[in-house]
Amino acid sequence: MTRKTDSHILNERSLILFKSLVEHFIQDGQPVGSRTLARDTNLDLSPATIRNIMADLEDLGLLSSPHTSAGRVPTIQGYRLFVDSLLRVTNLDHEQIERIRNELNPDQDIRNLMQKTSSTLSEITRLASVVTLPRSEGQSLQHLEFMPLSDNRILVILVVNDREIQNRIIDTARTYTQSELQQATNYLNEKFAGKHLNAIREEIIKELERMKDNVNQLMQIAIEMAQKAFENGEQSSDYVMAGHTNLMDVAELSDIEKLKKLFDSFNQKRDILHLLEQSIHARGVKIFIGEESGYDVLDDCSIVTSPYEVDGRIMGVLGVIGPTRMEYQRVIPIVDITAKMLGSALNSQH
Amino acid sequence: MTRKTDSHILNERSLILFKSLVEHFIQDGQPVGSRTLARDTNLDLSPATIRNIMADLEDLGLLSSPHTSAGRVPTIQGYRLFVDSLLRVTNLDHEQIERIRNELNPDQDIRNLMQKTSSTLSEITRLASVVTLPRSEGQSLQHLEFMPLSDNRILVILVVNDREIQNRIIDTARTYTQSELQQATNYLNEKFAGKHLNAIREEIIKELERMKDNVNQLMQIAIEMAQKAFENGEQSSDYVMAGHTNLMDVAELSDIEKLKKLFDSFNQKRDILHLLEQSIHARGVKIFIGEESGYDVLDDCSIVTSPYEVDGRIMGVLGVIGPTRMEYQRVIPIVDITAKMLGSALNSQH
DNA sequence: ATTTAGCACTCTCACCACGAGAGTGCAAAA
DNA sequence: TTTTGCACTCTCGTGGTGAGAGTGCTAAAT
């Protein structure tokens, strides 16, 4: 093989060819041959020339061929180059934008909103979609209520962020009277309303310290109950998912064993959550292609994610999961705009 | 063909053979031939005799053969006879019973409990499992709370049945003061606490009638708000599902197209709900075999359901979905006992 | 120095034939 | 009524074959 400089090899012409090849392959999933490219690009080159170029691209690790007499297929690095440098994102038509805006009606509780977001996203992209629940750090307590269930069991209702309701059941050492509960409720609401849950937890710890000296009966009851109410920490992070059956249509995943492993990992949630977390630190759309994700089950998949934010703070992540051979230029802007619209839907809930 | 009476044909010997054949087929999914049966029953008959008997059973519609030189396979009617008359249910070992009891911890909210029930059921049976949420008819209001969100928007919290919390957002014609809300809350709690939701709805309608004459300002506000709070009726019936990936292992459903249709109908929920409703009227385990269900997507599936009850009232249904060739004698008692345990878990929540 | 034409080569895939294996149904014997 | 014997049928795995697609290389053309 003759030695050439990179700039020589990755010139504009080869990039045009490469881009065309990737687009072809994304379209119909078949390895692309030199004849096809000669026909469908307007470079006016013979198949032989194109073969030479493709051989170079293969040497660079951008293409590979399944076997000698098949055409060529992009590698992971090939896709990476494609999405990073060659891809021209399509504009969304207003119809789709309107559709998303309509579905993401802010007048529903958080979980429904996330569910709706996910199903809309999966329908529009025709892929599987995930949306993490907003992380609880930004949560501020609006109101708190105790309600006796039976002896020694109390239902705690926490209203956070205006419309999200968490309820927890706590076991108490003894039975409290209705008026004790009422007083504790008043005291705690006055003391904690408007504050962030984390701040409240810290304050409770401090109060517990101080209480050793100052034994005000009422305060003691209240703080003890508050401690129990808030102790079972964060709701562990979680996501909702929709449209995973869309993945059953894609030929690359026709192996039912692989598909099962993939679906199982969706149910398990652990791996997917780890992956999504990687996307929560930086703004904007992020793409994991094939093995880049680091999880075996996702080897044949790409994941396109974007964090969504409220008041400039990143609250969670959403994204789609599809075959590596997905229509990136169509999917990326959809994920992007959906994240933004989810952010503004959450914002208008305040 | 010689004419024989039914009693002649369906004698004990043929039933033993038939039962053995079904058990064989359930075990390994292969059509069963005369040789196999001759070997594995202790009837001491030659394959030829067994062939004659099998031909009779085929005439009766209990068996069929995929092709001339395969063995035989039970038909839907065959399975029906098998589960109705021949099946001897196995006893559950105490370990499994204990496991179910442990997982169905009453100290969690309804939805979690149902989720847990479903996943436990699917793990033990290694099939897909559904559990409907308890129907809301039995719901009695324990407590009601209004909480202002923003101008003209109020969050309503309903506590029903001790631990289930429903929250709804209502839009009001004007903004109410804190004290108006408080008074309305007190009034409504006093009037409606302990009553069933349906009864409350009826009473609200009556009150609206009466109100035309008697214009007590406070009452009017309260009833108007109550009307809005309760108007968006029943939460439509719903179910949780678990373990659908278990179905991806069964050979009968290896056709990915069918599987997709099946999964889609799980997501759609409509068909499955209709089916489950058929089981809510009668006590005890009910079995739908193959086409009996009436839904095309379930043609290759059987569904084993049982209603669960609290205080003798049927509250919902649970069940498993698997291939027609499922281990009925193992699955049936599991479904049965799970329904009972779910009932008693719900019962001990009071 | 590139590009192209020509050509031999390789690999897949659909098709077909073929034989082994499993199981049947039927007629005649037990 | 049951069994033996036997011809028959159907599936399934194997191997061969040829068409089709695409490649790489060499030599000619630009």
Side-chain angles (χ1 to χ4, degrees):
Chain A
M1 160 189 158
T2 58
R3 197 84 192 93
K4 309 178 190 179
T5 63
D6 274 10
S7 67
H8 227 150
I9 294 180
L10 263 188
N11 54 13
E12 190 175 359
R13 201 181 59 179
S14 16
L15 286 180
I16 292 174
L17 272 171
F18 176 70
K19 177 159 179 260
S20 174
L21 186 148
V22 176
E23 284 167 351
H24 256 94
F25 182 70
I26 285 178
Q27 269 293 314
D28 41 76
Q30 298 302 318
V32 186
S34 50
R35 272 175 55 86
T36 316
L37 281 184
R39 199 178 341 104
D40 291 11
T41 58
N42 46 14
L43 289 176
D44 228 26
L45 291 174
S46 78
T49 314
I50 291 179
R51 280 203 289 280
N52 288 329
I53 299 171
M54 291 206 295
D56 292 343
L57 293 170
E58 184 162 355
D59 286 342
L60 286 173
L62 299 175
L63 296 180
S64 73
S65 41
H67 57 86
T68 28
S69 89
R72 276 164 170 106
V73 168
T75 62
I76 305 297
Q77 295 88 29
Y79 279 121
R80 180 46 65 193
L81 173 64
F82 179 74
V83 302
D84 284 348
S85 315
L86 301 176
L87 189 96
R88 171 121 274 142
V89 145
T90 59
N91 276 342
L92 288 183
D93 54 51
H94 282 284
E95 246 179 77
Q96 278 183 323
I97 297 182
E98 268 320 299
R99 167 156 184 215
I100 299 174
R101 195 196 310 283
N102 286 336
E103 304 270 15
L104 269 57
N105 178 355
D107 288 346
Q108 49 189 330
D109 72 33
I110 296 276
R111 209 181 176 94
N112 278 344
L113 178 59
M114 298 298 151
Q115 201 85 57
K116 196 78 191 174
T117 305
S118 190
S119 61
T120 306
L121 189 53
S122 76
E123 275 169 33
I124 296 182
T125 58
R126 297 188 292 277
L127 298 173
S129 125
V130 291
V131 182
T132 68
L133 301 184
R135 64 168 158 194
S136 51
E137 279 169 36
Q139 289 183 330
S140 66
L141 179 69
Q142 180 174 4
H143 188 88
L144 167 159
E145 192 93 4
F146 291 118
M147 202 164 295
L149 283 180
S150 57
D151 291 355
N152 299 4
R153 286 229 305 247
I154 297 178
L155 174 64
V156 188
I157 303 176
L158 304 180
V159 183
V160 284
N161 291 349
D162 284 7
R163 74 179 51 217
E164 196 186 331
I165 287 145
Q166 298 178 12
N167 51 81
R168 302 164 184 185
I169 292 162
I170 60 177
D171 292 302
T172 55
R174 68 172 177 87
T175 308
Y176 296 101
T177 68
Q178 183 72 43
S179 101
E180 279 175 321
L181 286 181
Q182 189 57 53
Q183 285 182 307
T185 305
N186 292 342
Y187 172 73
L188 291 172
N189 270 318
E190 199 162 314
K191 191 172 177 66
F192 290 140
K195 297 191 176 171
H196 283 214
L197 293 198
N198 289 336
I200 293 174
R201 284 197 194 88
E202 284 170 23
E203 246 180 278
I204 289 172
I205 292 169
K206 279 194 202 134
E207 289 289 337
L208 284 170
E209 283 299 314
R210 284 205 313 169
M211 241 164 47
K212 280 162 192 154
D213 318 325
N214 168 5
V215 270
N216 173 329
Q217 178 71 12
L218 167 63
M219 261 183 59
Q220 191 169 346
I221 291 172
I223 291 293
E224 271 170 6
M225 292 205 306
Q227 196 223 347
K228 297 210 172 188
F230 288 98
E231 78 185 347
N232 53 354
E234 310 289 310
Q235 88 219 58
S236 66
S237 55
D238 196 6
Y239 60 74
V240 297
M241 180 140 209
H244 56 210
T245 54
N246 284 335
L247 299 181
M248 299 174 82
D249 289 330
V250 322
E252 288 88 334
L253 298 169
S254 65
D255 177 8
I256 207 157
E257 279 302 318
K258 273 188 192 171
L259 208 51
K260 179 175 152 73
K261 286 203 182 109
L262 188 58
F263 283 5
D264 279 337
S265 85
F266 292 164
N267 287 339
Q268 224 83 37
K269 297 199 171 182
R270 215 197 43 228
D271 293 354
I272 304 288
L273 270 176
H274 280 160
L275 191 57
L276 292 176
E277 260 164 35
Q278 292 178 38
S279 150
I280 211 170
H281 302 300
R283 206 144 297 197
V285 171
K286 209 169 156 94
I287 302 174
F288 301 87
I289 299 166
E291 297 149 4
E292 288 179 358
S293 70
Y295 296 98
D296 288 357
V297 283
L298 294 173
D299 273 2
D300 302 315
C301 294
S302 282
I303 297 95
V304 178
T305 67
S306 172
Y308 58 88
E309 43 191 81
V310 177
D311 294 337
R313 290 171 52 95
I314 291 177
M315 300 299 284
V317 186
L318 56 73
V320 299
I321 301 174
T324 45
R325 173 178 88 80
M326 74 164 74
E327 301 171 74
Y328 295 96
Q329 81 276 9
R330 192 175 67 86
V331 169
I332 290 172
I334 295 175
V335 169
D336 189 41
I337 200 103
T338 307
K340 284 178 180 140
M341 295 222 170
L342 177 57
S344 67
L346 287 170
N347 197 45
S348 70
Q349 286 196 342
H350 287 305
Chain B
M1 164 185 154
T2 58
R3 196 83 192 94
K4 309 177 191 179
T5 63
D6 274 9
S7 68
H8 224 150
I9 292 180
L10 263 189
N11 54 12
E12 190 175 359
R13 199 181 61 179
S14 16
L15 286 180
I16 291 175
L17 272 172
F18 176 70
K19 177 160 179 259
S20 173
L21 185 147
V22 177
E23 283 167 352
H24 257 92
F25 182 68
I26 285 179
Q27 268 294 314
D28 40 78
Q30 299 301 319
V32 186
S34 51
R35 274 176 52 88
T36 316
L37 281 184
R39 199 180 338 106
D40 292 12
T41 59
N42 45 14
L43 289 176
D44 229 25
L45 291 173
S46 78
T49 314
I50 292 180
R51 281 203 288 281
N52 287 330
I53 298 171
M54 292 206 295
D56 291 343
L57 293 170
E58 184 161 355
D59 286 343
L60 286 174
L62 298 175
L63 295 180
S64 73
S65 41
H67 57 84
T68 29
S69 89
R72 280 175 169 96
V73 168
T75 61
I76 304 297
Q77 295 88 27
Y79 278 121
R80 180 46 65 194
L81 173 65
F82 179 72
V83 301
D84 285 349
S85 315
L86 301 176
L87 189 96
R88 170 120 278 143
V89 146
T90 59
N91 276 342
L92 288 184
D93 54 50
H94 282 284
E95 246 178 80
Q96 277 183 323
I97 296 182
E98 269 319 300
R99 164 153 186 217
I100 299 174
R101 196 195 309 281
N102 286 336
E103 304 269 16
L104 270 57
N105 177 356
D107 288 346
Q108 49 190 329
D109 72 33
I110 295 275
R111 212 186 172 91
N112 279 343
L113 179 57
M114 298 298 151
Q115 202 84 56
K116 196 79 192 173
T117 305
S118 190
S119 61
T120 306
L121 188 53
S122 76
E123 275 168 33
I124 295 181
T125 59
R126 296 189 293 276
L127 298 173
S129 126
V130 291
V131 182
T132 68
L133 300 184
R135 65 167 159 196
S136 51
E137 280 168 36
Q139 289 183 330
S140 67
L141 179 70
Q142 182 174 1
H143 187 90
L144 168 157
E145 191 94 5
F146 290 118
M147 202 163 295
L149 283 180
S150 56
D151 291 355
N152 299 4
R153 286 232 304 248
I154 296 178
L155 173 64
V156 188
I157 303 175
L158 304 180
V159 183
V160 284
N161 290 349
D162 283 9
R163 74 178 52 218
E164 194 187 333
I165 287 145
Q166 298 178 12
N167 51 83
R168 300 163 185 187
I169 292 163
I170 59 177
D171 292 303
T172 56
R174 67 171 178 87
T175 307
Y176 296 101
T177 67
Q178 183 71 41
S179 101
E180 280 175 319
L181 286 181
Q182 189 57 53
Q183 285 181 308
T185 305
N186 292 341
Y187 172 73
L188 292 172
N189 271 318
E190 199 162 314
K191 191 173 178 65
F192 292 139
K195 298 193 176 170
H196 282 212
L197 293 197
N198 289 336
I200 293 175
R201 283 196 196 88
E202 283 171 23
E203 246 179 277
I204 288 174
I205 292 170
K206 279 192 203 134
E207 289 289 337
L208 283 171
E209 284 298 315
R210 284 204 314 167
M211 241 165 45
K212 281 162 192 155
D213 318 325
N214 168 4
V215 270
N216 173 330
Q217 177 71 13
L218 167 64
M219 260 183 60
Q220 191 170 344
I221 291 172
I223 290 295
E224 273 170 6
M225 291 205 307
Q227 195 223 346
K228 297 210 171 185
F230 289 96
E231 79 186 346
N232 53 352
E234 310 289 308
Q235 89 219 58
S236 66
S237 55
D238 196 5
Y239 59 76
V240 297
M241 179 139 212
H244 55 211
T245 54
N246 284 335
L247 298 181
M248 299 175 83
D249 290 329
V250 324
E252 287 88 334
L253 297 168
S254 65
D255 177 9
I256 206 158
E257 280 302 317
K258 273 188 192 170
L259 207 52
K260 180 175 151 72
K261 286 203 182 109
L262 188 58
F263 284 5
D264 279 336
S265 84
F266 292 164
N267 286 339
Q268 224 83 37
K269 297 200 170 182
R270 214 198 45 227
D271 293 353
I272 304 288
L273 270 175
H274 281 159
L275 190 57
L276 292 176
E277 260 164 33
Q278 293 178 39
S279 151
I280 212 170
H281 302 299
R283 205 143 299 197
V285 173
K286 207 169 159 94
I287 302 173
F288 301 87
I289 299 166
E291 297 149 4
E292 289 179 357
S293 70
Y295 296 98
D296 288 356
V297 282
L298 294 173
D299 273 2
D300 302 313
C301 294
S302 282
I303 296 94
V304 179
T305 67
S306 172
Y308 58 87
E309 43 191 81
V310 177
D311 293 337
R313 290 171 51 95
I314 291 176
M315 300 299 285
V317 187
L318 56 73
V320 298
I321 301 174
T324 45
R325 172 178 89 80
M326 74 163 74
E327 301 171 75
Y328 295 96
Q329 82 276 8
R330 192 175 67 85
V331 169
I332 290 171
I334 295 175
V335 170
D336 190 41
I337 200 102
T338 306
K340 284 176 181 142
M341 295 222 170
L342 177 57
S344 68
L346 286 169
N347 198 45
S348 71
Q349 285 196 344
H350 288 304

